[in-house]
């Protein structure tokens, strides 16, 4: 147990030091002109308009989501992002599916603390509820561990605020882990 704790502490220390070294303007991962490709896992509340990876199964109920996001740094530390996701739910009597999309901005405070604001919505059979589909305003914050010059792991917290009360009034917190490629 002691070896595991020491190993984890060493990995954290090296990652933190590497993140500090990479925040220099032109050569950093979050510099103007760089690209970001990201896949996230969403733990916690599952709601519509999901662009993360996930799978849930309990009895006859199965839920799956596949998605990714990409962004372009329009200035140092600020990326404009787009995301797309496919979601499916099978309640045992047949599956419904739909697509989700996301548009937002992600800013890295001190090149290592990502803060994101976005709008997401869904379309397809999965999201039909009268004349509305789900839409959310998302707020997210976390910490970026840069593992070399092209990869980061970004654990964080996310809040999805429902934008339409006819579809759902429920807002949701999520714990997320993002995996990003920077180039």
């Amino acid at each position: 147990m002691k070896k595991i704790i020491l190993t984890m502490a060493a990995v954290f220390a090296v990652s933190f030091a590497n993140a500090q070294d990479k925040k220099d303007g032109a050569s950093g991962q979050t510099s103007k002109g760089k690209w970001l490709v990201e896949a996230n896992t969403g733990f916690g509340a599952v709601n519509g308009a999901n662009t993360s990876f996930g799978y849930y199964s309990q009895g006859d109920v199965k839920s799956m989501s596949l998605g990714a996001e990409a962004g372009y740094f329009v200035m140092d530390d600020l990326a404009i992002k787009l995301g797309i996701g496919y979601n499916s739910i099978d309640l045992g009597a047949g599956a419904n599916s739909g697509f989700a999309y996301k548009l937002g901005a992600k800013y890295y405070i001190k090149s290592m603390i990502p803060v994101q604001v976005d709008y997401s919505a869904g379309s397809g059979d999965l999201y039909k509820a009268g004349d509305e589909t789900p839409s959310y305003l998302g707020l997210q914050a976390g910490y970026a561990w840069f593992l070399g010059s092209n990869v980061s792991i970004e654990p964080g917290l996310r809040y999805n605020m429902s934008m339409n009360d006819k579809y759902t009034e429920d807002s949701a917190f999520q714990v997320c882990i993002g995996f990003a490629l920077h180039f």
Side-chain angles (χ1 to χ4, degrees):
M1 183 68 166
K2 187 175 180 181
K3 287 182 181 182
I4 293 172
I5 293 171
L6 288 174
T7 302
M8 289 174 58
V11 168
F12 177 79
V14 169
S15 299
F16 185 77
N18 193 30
Q20 299 300 317
D21 290 342
K22 298 297 178 188
K23 63 180 183 176
D24 62 347
S27 64
Q29 293 96 325
T30 62
S31 300
K32 180 179 179 180
K34 298 276 185 147
W35 287 90
L36 168 74
V37 177
E38 189 171 24
N40 294 298
T41 60
F43 296 111
V46 177
N47 55 18
N50 190 351
T51 61
S52 67
F53 280 88
Y55 182 78
Y56 171 81
S57 176
Q58 182 176 9
D60 289 342
V61 177
K62 293 175 181 57
S63 171
M64 176 193 68
S65 59
L66 300 169
E69 300 174 18
Y72 179 76
F73 286 92
V74 295
M75 61 183 270
D76 286 352
D77 298 325
L78 178 64
I80 302 300
K81 291 180 57 179
L82 294 172
I84 189 165
Y86 171 79
N87 301 286
S88 174
I89 294 178
D90 185 349
L91 300 174
N96 286 328
S97 61
F99 286 93
Y101 59 90
K102 183 185 288 185
L103 173 64
K106 188 173 197 176
Y107 183 74
Y108 286 79
I109 299 169
K110 296 191 177 210
S111 299
M112 66 183 148
I113 301 172
V115 177
Q116 181 170 310
V117 176
D118 56 60
Y119 171 80
S120 58
S123 64
D125 293 339
L126 176 63
Y127 302 117
K128 298 256 188 218
D131 61 346
E132 279 195 347
T133 57
S135 62
Y136 297 90
L137 175 64
L139 306 170
Q140 182 173 318
Y143 185 83
W145 281 315
F146 290 97
L147 307 174
S149 61
N150 295 89
V151 178
S152 68
I153 298 174
E154 300 181 6
L157 294 174
R158 178 174 179 80
Y159 181 70
N160 296 303
M161 183 176 67
S162 178
M163 300 295 286
N164 44 5
D165 59 353
K166 289 182 183 174
Y167 183 83
T168 181
E169 293 179 2
D170 296 335
S171 298
F173 274 103
Q174 290 178 285
V175 177
C176 302
I177 299 177
F179 301 91
L181 297 175
H182 301 262
F183 52 97

